[in-house]
Amino acid sequence: MPAGPDSVPNWLAARAAQSPQQPAYWQRTSAGDWTRVSWGEVQHRVRTLAAHLLRLGLRAGDRVAIMMPTVPEWEYCHLAVLAAGGVVVGIDAHDAPENTRHILHTVRPRALCLAAGKQLESLQALMPEPPDIVVTLDADPAPGIASLPRLIETACDPAQPLPAVSPEQTATLVFTSGSTGQPKGIAYTHGQLCLAAEAILGRFPSIQEDARLACWLPLSNLFQRIINLCALKRGTQSYFVDSPADIVKRLPEIRPALFIGVPRFYEKLHAGIEAEVARQSWLARQAVRVAWGIGERFQRTWRAGGSPAWWRVAAHALADRWVLLRLRHLMGPDLKFMVSGSAPMPPWLLDKLHGLGWRVLEAYGISECVVPIANNTLDACRFGSVGRPLPDNELKLAEDGEVLVRGPGVFTGYYGQADADTPLDADGYLHTGDLARLDDDGFLWLTGRKSEVFKTSTGRRIAPVPIESALRQVPYVEHAVVFGRNRPVTVVLLSVSPQPGGFTAPLSSETLRRIGDDIAAACAPFPAYQRPAGALVSLRSFSIAAGELTSNLKLRRNAIETLNERELDALYAQLADSTDHSRCLVKEIV
């Protein structure tokens, strides 16, 4: 690819010049066929749309908010705004209205790119002033709204030049997840986005022109956009899946070389496999159990650096050929590995998936550093760690174990906020808020968040994440949140799934005892003072709409505690009055 300044428009121009006829984007039609768009066509559509945006009045530096499903048109708008010198702001359609209002008031977008005109009314109620430009996917939009399909198909003056875009220009404004308060804005330049993509490609060389990727995470999430930039740089084909619920059904058709997801996806994947196995005949169930167990033992020996006995190698080869390989086809036959980020993966789940032959490589990054901080690779992997730091990151640990990072991918401060609010110190190190340790081989092991570690009223320090990870190993537990700050003991709030537990409301006393026994078993490895003395159980799943989860599915702990404050107080009062402390006290909440 021709060398040039690191800006996204330059990358696209170079890719289109190098492989104009190669497939770039694939989209599934309502008839079930996949249609492709070449890199040359992507470049043509982006340049046409950019010229129209300039004609409509977009100026360099203007913010453009995009709220669409994960479709190629999202990328056309993204790349066209950047080509026109604008700044992209991704809006999650499922985010809480107060978060959306805060984002829109912070960035004050001049233009909106929407899936449908009907979204405009709800967004206008959240905006400080009406947008000057509105573009939607509608073929025949209302007056004053431009049709994106029509703009792309309508030629502009080919002599109209697009502005030069430098690496130092702001390309996007992203926002923190809002797990501990209002989302905060972060500006990244073209050069930083390109740097992040180059860093990822350096760690994952299998992203090549002949590979396929599934584009299925919300494109309001910057990480999915950077993966798309990796594909652009290498000429890799991206298959767009607009509904996350459909991704597992589409993977055998897509046949990705690698797959990127969040821990919740892998938990659901495992639960789905278990549920499907449970529906099979007794003989088929036994075959899967035996083969899966052989796979787990074989992979554990391999990870430990041992040499499995010949008979174990032979048993694994048979189990893999006749059972495990068929299960792995669920993710397509070409999958080399999977990547997980956003939150820690439970070690038991890594072990179970590796037993099937799927290696899940954990990575670690935060919003305030566009370059991933650390990641595992096929050549250097430690289960439970987040891998080794990337070369662009200068990393060290503070005295209390907090991860500090410095480098060209680190942000310069929160957008529109005073310098006093920045987590950057005088030496330019970003204080991540994450606690960790580095082993002798340079692998980073996260141990919790500084803001999440709390003390009970007895002075005991509690890190909730390991306890919550252990509780999520219970098959019916969807989410677990441990509380106990300034309280005498810890308690947990569980969101449980009706399946496979078969729970129905109201929960019987026998079911509550069973849940208490499962909590005790899951937490047995922890010291007594860390084990929950009580539990609240809800049959309702946590949601973004209720304010319990961020848009990337992280727990909003403070909000969850506030929403359940009365029930938590009642549970602690009952624990104080109880004379039986041998069992976990379990109560159902509606």
Side-chain angles (χ1 to χ4, degrees), residues 17-36:
Q18 181 169 326
S19 49
Q21 302 304 320
Q22 292 298 316
Y25 300 157
W26 292 82
Q27 186 174 23
R28 200 170 187 271
T29 67
S30 57
D33 302 317
W34 289 91
T35 60
R36 76 175 199 174

mmCIF file of all heavy atoms in Angstrom, residues 17-36:
data_model
loop_
_atom_site.group_PDB
_atom_site.id
_atom_site.type_symbol
_atom_site.label_atom_id
_atom_site.label_comp_id
_atom_site.label_asym_id
_atom_site.label_seq_id
_atom_site.Cartn_x
_atom_site.Cartn_y
_atom_site.Cartn_z
ATOM 1 N N ALA A 17 -7.090 2.097 -4.396
ATOM 2 C CA ALA A 17 -6.148 2.081 -5.522
ATOM 3 C C ALA A 17 -5.455 0.729 -5.649
ATOM 4 O O ALA A 17 -5.174 0.263 -6.752
ATOM 5 C CB ALA A 17 -5.104 3.187 -5.331
ATOM 6 N N GLN A 18 -5.217 0.080 -4.508
ATOM 7 C CA GLN A 18 -4.480 -1.189 -4.537
ATOM 8 C C GLN A 18 -5.354 -2.369 -4.921
ATOM 9 O O GLN A 18 -4.917 -3.260 -5.653
ATOM 10 C CB GLN A 18 -3.840 -1.450 -3.170
ATOM 11 C CG GLN A 18 -3.036 -2.748 -3.114
ATOM 12 C CD GLN A 18 -2.215 -2.847 -1.852
ATOM 13 O OE1 GLN A 18 -1.731 -1.837 -1.353
ATOM 14 N NE2 GLN A 18 -2.049 -4.046 -1.329
ATOM 15 N N SER A 19 -6.588 -2.418 -4.425
ATOM 16 C CA SER A 19 -7.452 -3.576 -4.714
ATOM 17 C C SER A 19 -8.882 -3.115 -4.962
ATOM 18 O O SER A 19 -9.787 -3.415 -4.179
ATOM 19 C CB SER A 19 -7.400 -4.575 -3.548
ATOM 20 O OG SER A 19 -7.607 -3.935 -2.309
ATOM 21 N N PRO A 20 -9.107 -2.374 -6.064
ATOM 22 C CA PRO A 20 -10.432 -1.787 -6.298
ATOM 23 C C PRO A 20 -11.539 -2.804 -6.488
ATOM 24 O O PRO A 20 -12.694 -2.519 -6.158
ATOM 25 C CB PRO A 20 -10.219 -0.942 -7.562
ATOM 26 C CG PRO A 20 -9.035 -1.552 -8.239
ATOM 27 C CD PRO A 20 -8.152 -2.035 -7.140
ATOM 28 N N GLN A 21 -11.213 -3.996 -7.008
ATOM 29 C CA GLN A 21 -12.257 -4.982 -7.304
ATOM 30 C C GLN A 21 -12.461 -6.003 -6.187
ATOM 31 O O GLN A 21 -13.382 -6.816 -6.263
ATOM 32 C CB GLN A 21 -11.914 -5.727 -8.607
ATOM 33 C CG GLN A 21 -11.756 -4.822 -9.822
ATOM 34 C CD GLN A 21 -12.994 -3.976 -10.073
ATOM 35 O OE1 GLN A 21 -14.125 -4.443 -9.927
ATOM 36 N NE2 GLN A 21 -12.777 -2.715 -10.449
ATOM 37 N N GLN A 22 -11.603 -5.959 -5.180
ATOM 38 C CA GLN A 22 -11.721 -6.944 -4.108
ATOM 39 C C GLN A 22 -12.928 -6.635 -3.214
ATOM 40 O O GLN A 22 -13.245 -5.471 -2.960
ATOM 41 C CB GLN A 22 -10.449 -6.960 -3.263
ATOM 42 C CG GLN A 22 -9.224 -7.498 -3.980
ATOM 43 C CD GLN A 22 -9.424 -8.951 -4.390
ATOM 44 O OE1 GLN A 22 -9.913 -9.768 -3.622
ATOM 45 N NE2 GLN A 22 -9.071 -9.257 -5.634
ATOM 46 N N PRO A 23 -13.615 -7.683 -2.699
ATOM 47 C CA PRO A 23 -14.767 -7.442 -1.822
ATOM 48 C C PRO A 23 -14.350 -6.716 -0.548
ATOM 49 O O PRO A 23 -13.315 -7.030 0.047
ATOM 50 C CB PRO A 23 -15.273 -8.847 -1.498
ATOM 51 C CG PRO A 23 -14.708 -9.731 -2.560
ATOM 52 C CD PRO A 23 -13.403 -9.115 -2.947
ATOM 53 N N ALA A 24 -15.163 -5.755 -0.149
ATOM 54 C CA ALA A 24 -14.909 -5.002 1.077
ATOM 55 C C ALA A 24 -15.982 -5.294 2.114
ATOM 56 O O ALA A 24 -15.689 -5.768 3.213
ATOM 57 C CB ALA A 24 -14.864 -3.507 0.782
ATOM 58 N N TYR A 25 -17.253 -5.024 1.762
ATOM 59 C CA TYR A 25 -18.371 -5.186 2.683
ATOM 60 C C TYR A 25 -19.378 -6.173 2.097
ATOM 61 O O TYR A 25 -19.668 -6.138 0.900
ATOM 62 C CB TYR A 25 -19.083 -3.848 2.918
ATOM 63 C CG TYR A 25 -18.224 -2.753 3.498
ATOM 64 C CD1 TYR A 25 -18.570 -1.411 3.318
ATOM 65 C CD2 TYR A 25 -17.081 -3.039 4.247
ATOM 66 C CE1 TYR A 25 -17.803 -0.389 3.853
ATOM 67 C CE2 TYR A 25 -16.299 -2.024 4.781
ATOM 68 C CZ TYR A 25 -16.662 -0.710 4.576
ATOM 69 O OH TYR A 25 -15.893 0.295 5.113
ATOM 70 N N TRP A 26 -19.908 -7.010 2.973
ATOM 71 C CA TRP A 26 -20.974 -7.938 2.608
ATOM 72 C C TRP A 26 -22.182 -7.661 3.497
ATOM 73 O O TRP A 26 -22.044 -7.405 4.687
ATOM 74 C CB TRP A 26 -20.539 -9.385 2.798
ATOM 75 C CG TRP A 26 -19.466 -9.859 1.865
ATOM 76 C CD1 TRP A 26 -18.117 -9.669 1.990
ATOM 77 C CD2 TRP A 26 -19.643 -10.612 0.661
ATOM 78 N NE1 TRP A 26 -17.441 -10.246 0.945
ATOM 79 C CE2 TRP A 26 -18.355 -10.855 0.105
ATOM 80 C CE3 TRP A 26 -20.757 -11.121 -0.020
ATOM 81 C CZ2 TRP A 26 -18.161 -11.557 -1.067
ATOM 82 C CZ3 TRP A 26 -20.561 -11.833 -1.192
ATOM 83 C CH2 TRP A 26 -19.283 -12.045 -1.708
ATOM 84 N N GLN A 27 -23.368 -7.723 2.889
ATOM 85 C CA GLN A 27 -24.601 -7.494 3.635
ATOM 86 C C GLN A 27 -25.628 -8.524 3.205
ATOM 87 O O GLN A 27 -25.757 -8.835 2.009
ATOM 88 C CB GLN A 27 -25.125 -6.079 3.394
ATOM 89 C CG GLN A 27 -26.328 -5.704 4.249
ATOM 90 C CD GLN A 27 -26.710 -4.240 4.068
ATOM 91 O OE1 GLN A 27 -26.394 -3.624 3.048
ATOM 92 N NE2 GLN A 27 -27.375 -3.663 5.058
ATOM 93 N N ARG A 28 -26.365 -9.054 4.145
ATOM 94 C CA ARG A 28 -27.348 -10.100 3.853
ATOM 95 C C ARG A 28 -28.685 -9.471 3.473
ATOM 96 O O ARG A 28 -29.180 -8.566 4.161
ATOM 97 C CB ARG A 28 -27.534 -10.992 5.084
ATOM 98 C CG ARG A 28 -28.126 -12.368 4.799
ATOM 99 C CD ARG A 28 -28.016 -13.216 6.059
ATOM 100 N NE ARG A 28 -28.411 -14.598 5.806
ATOM 101 C CZ ARG A 28 -29.648 -15.058 5.909
ATOM 102 N NH1 ARG A 28 -30.619 -14.226 6.258
ATOM 103 N NH2 ARG A 28 -29.923 -16.327 5.677
ATOM 104 N N THR A 29 -29.263 -9.943 2.383
ATOM 105 C CA THR A 29 -30.554 -9.432 1.930
ATOM 106 C C THR A 29 -31.680 -10.151 2.658
ATOM 107 O O THR A 29 -31.474 -11.165 3.328
ATOM 108 C CB THR A 29 -30.724 -9.638 0.420
ATOM 109 O OG1 THR A 29 -30.820 -11.050 0.151
ATOM 110 C CG2 THR A 29 -29.540 -9.059 -0.342
ATOM 111 N N SER A 30 -32.894 -9.636 2.500
ATOM 112 C CA SER A 30 -34.057 -10.276 3.127
ATOM 113 C C SER A 30 -34.306 -11.659 2.552
ATOM 114 O O SER A 30 -34.925 -12.511 3.195
ATOM 115 C CB SER A 30 -35.296 -9.399 2.934
ATOM 116 O OG SER A 30 -35.526 -9.157 1.548
ATOM 117 N N ALA A 31 -33.804 -11.913 1.333
ATOM 118 C CA ALA A 31 -33.956 -13.230 0.711
ATOM 119 C C ALA A 31 -32.912 -14.229 1.201
ATOM 120 O O ALA A 31 -32.970 -15.404 0.832
ATOM 121 C CB ALA A 31 -33.868 -13.098 -0.803
ATOM 122 N N GLY A 32 -31.963 -13.766 2.014
ATOM 123 C CA GLY A 32 -30.962 -14.669 2.552
ATOM 124 C C GLY A 32 -29.673 -14.738 1.769
ATOM 125 O O GLY A 32 -28.797 -15.550 2.091
ATOM 126 N N ASP A 33 -29.534 -13.888 0.750
ATOM 127 C CA ASP A 33 -28.298 -13.859 -0.042
ATOM 128 C C ASP A 33 -27.363 -12.779 0.509
ATOM 129 O O ASP A 33 -27.808 -11.763 1.047
ATOM 130 C CB ASP A 33 -28.616 -13.560 -1.511
ATOM 131 C CG ASP A 33 -29.567 -14.581 -2.117
ATOM 132 O OD1 ASP A 33 -29.373 -15.773 -1.855
ATOM 133 O OD2 ASP A 33 -30.501 -14.165 -2.836
ATOM 134 N N TRP A 34 -26.064 -13.006 0.328
ATOM 135 C CA TRP A 34 -25.075 -12.014 0.712
ATOM 136 C C TRP A 34 -24.651 -11.231 -0.528
ATOM 137 O O TRP A 34 -24.280 -11.821 -1.538
ATOM 138 C CB TRP A 34 -23.852 -12.669 1.344
ATOM 139 C CG TRP A 34 -24.095 -13.237 2.709
ATOM 140 C CD1 TRP A 34 -24.483 -14.509 3.018
ATOM 141 C CD2 TRP A 34 -23.971 -12.543 3.957
ATOM 142 N NE1 TRP A 34 -24.614 -14.652 4.376
ATOM 143 C CE2 TRP A 34 -24.298 -13.472 4.982
ATOM 144 C CE3 TRP A 34 -23.622 -11.250 4.305
ATOM 145 C CZ2 TRP A 34 -24.281 -13.125 6.336
ATOM 146 C CZ3 TRP A 34 -23.606 -10.902 5.655
ATOM 147 C CH2 TRP A 34 -23.930 -11.832 6.652
ATOM 148 N N THR A 35 -24.766 -9.912 -0.460
ATOM 149 C CA THR A 35 -24.339 -9.057 -1.573
ATOM 150 C C THR A 35 -23.079 -8.308 -1.169
ATOM 151 O O THR A 35 -22.931 -7.916 -0.010
ATOM 152 C CB THR A 35 -25.436 -8.052 -1.954
ATOM 153 O OG1 THR A 35 -25.745 -7.221 -0.824
ATOM 154 C CG2 THR A 35 -26.692 -8.779 -2.401
ATOM 155 N N ARG A 36 -22.203 -8.085 -2.128
ATOM 156 C CA ARG A 36 -20.911 -7.496 -1.804
ATOM 157 C C ARG A 36 -20.752 -6.113 -2.426
ATOM 158 O O ARG A 36 -21.397 -5.780 -3.424
ATOM 159 C CB ARG A 36 -19.773 -8.391 -2.271
ATOM 160 C CG ARG A 36 -19.526 -8.352 -3.765
ATOM 161 C CD ARG A 36 -18.306 -9.165 -4.133
ATOM 162 N NE ARG A 36 -17.790 -8.799 -5.451
ATOM 163 C CZ ARG A 36 -16.673 -9.265 -5.979
ATOM 164 N NH1 ARG A 36 -15.945 -10.146 -5.297
ATOM 165 N NH2 ARG A 36 -16.253 -8.868 -7.166
#
